Amino acid sequence: MGRLRIGSRGSQLALWQAHHISDLLRARGHTVELEIIKTTGDKITDVALAKVGTKGMFTKEIEEALIENRVDLAVHSLKDLPTELSADFEIAAVTTREDSRDVFCSVKFANIEALPQQANVGTSSLRRQAQLKAFRPDLQIHPVRGNVDTRLRKLESGDYDAIILAAAGLNRLGKTQLVRQLIPVDVMTPAAGQGALAIEICNGDTATQAVVAFLDDVAARATTTCERALLSKLGGGCQVPIGAFAELKEGRIRLSALVAHPDGTKVLRETSEGDDPVRLGEEVGEILLRRGGNVILDEVYGEGFAVPQQP
């Protein structure tokens, strides 16, 4: 195959991810070019993500480039990809997963428990907000947007007592100096697909598929498929307060999932094990809906948070 053209967002983290994949492809003798594509999510910087609710806000323009044959493959954070992909596309690989947990970052405080009453915590995620409020109802939660550097700078300048970020992004960028706590999954369940990279191609592009097949990690594929099946069952996009964390234990998949109201007053958690990732995700989703998850999600959408990302 000739040149491989990779489409990516232009953020610092997206570029790290795209260069990481480029390096792996070049090591196998491929010539790789990078095309930076500005997405809707990159253009809307002054609104909390949960209020935008655009389907595929970090992926739509990149998918257009795939369809128009301007790029051969796209590198995404998997958690940015809508659970229902258009029939035009497929996920050709899910790479070996980074740590999927969330981290507590602070200049002064060692962990969530150590924060003073009414402390200011920054996060743009309803999922993180809901779990923080459930754990510490006194905390003041404020939206924080911007790339990793911007968020860390706001923390260092004293705008916040703490911010919550994904471990994966900080690990990849080597910016872990303010990480004080890896938050346990039973305190903060991560987002579906967090820590995983997805390689997206046009459906039926067998040439590119053959080239990137070596990037597909069996464990990452199984766990993220399970998490995304749960998300799909709940009808949620990446901005709703749904958490999913799957891990392989002796050949079986163990899924811990959560649906919560953003104010932290209602939190449903469910854990189960199974062999089939899709079936397990759907079954746990079904249980959560039956236990009142549907009521919580209806309330979230009714209050003008994110609209469901499913068609």
Side-chain angles (χ1 to χ4, degrees), residues 49-95:
L49 290 178
K51 296 284 186 190
V52 182
T54 312
K55 183 176 176 179
M57 59 190 295
F58 290 118
T59 56
K60 182 170 148 291
E61 286 81 1
I62 297 175
E63 288 182 336
E64 286 168 359
L66 277 170
I67 284 286
E68 292 163 10
N69 195 28
R70 287 186 280 124
V71 298
D72 302 299
L73 62 142
V75 179
H76 303 286
S77 289
L78 181 56
K79 70 176 183 179
D80 289 340
L81 266 183
T83 48
E84 300 280 324
L85 275 193
S86 150
D88 295 327
F89 308 106
E90 62 180 293
I91 297 174
V94 178
T95 65

Side-chain angles (χ1 to χ4, degrees), residues 40 96 159:
T40 304
T96 306
D159 291 10

Side-chain angles (χ1 to χ4, degrees), residues 166-183:
L170 295 176
N171 289 348
R172 285 177 174 135
L173 293 172
K175 297 183 181 293
T176 56
Q177 62 275 16
L178 290 175
V179 173
R180 298 285 177 257
Q181 177 191 22
L182 263 170
I183 308 174

